[in-house]
Amino acid sequence: MRRVMRCVAWWAGLLLAPVMTVLAPLAWASLPPPAREAPVPAVARGWPVGTRPVVLRGWEPPATVYGAGHRGVDLGAPPGAPVRAVAAGRVTFAGRVAGRGVVSVELTGTGLRTTYEPVSPSVEKGAAVEPGEVVGTVEATGSHCPGTCVHWGLLRGETYLDPLSMLPPSLLHNGPSRLLPVLGVPTPA
């Protein structure tokens, strides 16, 4: 009996395979398109370190959730430099992770969370912070950079995003281009 059932199952699978090959794409076509990631609002009011730090390593999103990549940006900063909150929020973590000091701030009304490491925290979990408020200082050790740096991360839920996308264009660039007069060229008559 068991042998007969296996034979019936084998034939049923063999007959259903072509039908499923034809019908499956039609079923997939009726699925809604995947949700696009909501844009990141430009809520940052300043850089976490300095006024225009050197970006030592940029955002390199991984191809898969557990794939290789760089889930943030590395900003050059000397040991002991103040690390500031880029926007208003509440500290959700201030402590050590894997031997490094980490500060995490949930940004008010955005669903976003920023992280800074390696940082010696000067704030505690639950503290409200304003843009530009010092949350810690750059630690001399624990960085994955050749020199000292701050790794600045941005998350929405468990998804990592590019933290530079929070900065308004005026902070990312040197500002708008300006036309200047050309000196020493005669004006047409």
Side-chain angles (χ1 to χ4, degrees):
M1 183 66 180
R2 191 176 284 165
R3 188 172 168 191
V4 171
M5 292 303 291
R6 273 189 273 168
C7 187
V8 169
W10 186 83
W11 279 103
L14 187 63
L15 294 174
L16 284 176
V19 173
M20 292 307 292
T21 303
V22 171
L23 294 179
L26 297 175
W28 293 329
S30 66
L31 292 176
R36 293 193 63 201
E37 192 66 40
V40 175
V43 295
R45 298 292 168 249
W47 289 88
V49 291
T51 55
R52 198 174 300 277
V54 174
V55 177
L56 301 173
R57 185 173 176 196
W59 163 252
E60 298 167 16
T64 63
V65 176
Y66 300 107
H70 192 239
R71 293 163 173 85
V73 295
D74 293 336
L75 305 173
V83 178
R84 301 176 187 281
V86 296
R90 184 160 306 280
V91 176
T92 56
F93 182 83
R96 301 203 71 73
V97 175
R100 296 184 188 142
V102 177
V103 174
S104 182
V105 177
E106 183 145 349
L107 305 180
T108 306
T110 64
L112 300 172
R113 187 172 72 249
T114 59
T115 59
Y116 313 94
E117 66 171 288
V119 174
S120 294
S122 61
V123 291
E124 294 182 2
K125 181 179 178 180
V129 294
E130 294 299 319
E133 186 174 335
V134 175
V135 296
T137 56
V138 178
E139 291 182 343
T141 59
S143 170
H144 59 257
C145 298
T148 58
C149 73
V150 169
H151 179 84
W152 179 27
L154 175 66
L155 295 104
R156 178 181 284 130
E158 298 300 315
T159 303
Y160 285 89
L161 305 168
D162 183 1
L164 295 179
S165 63
M166 291 188 345
L167 292 170
S170 61
L171 290 176
L172 282 172
H173 310 291
N174 290 329
S177 298
R178 290 183 171 67
L179 296 176
L180 300 174
V182 179
L183 303 174
V185 176
T187 57

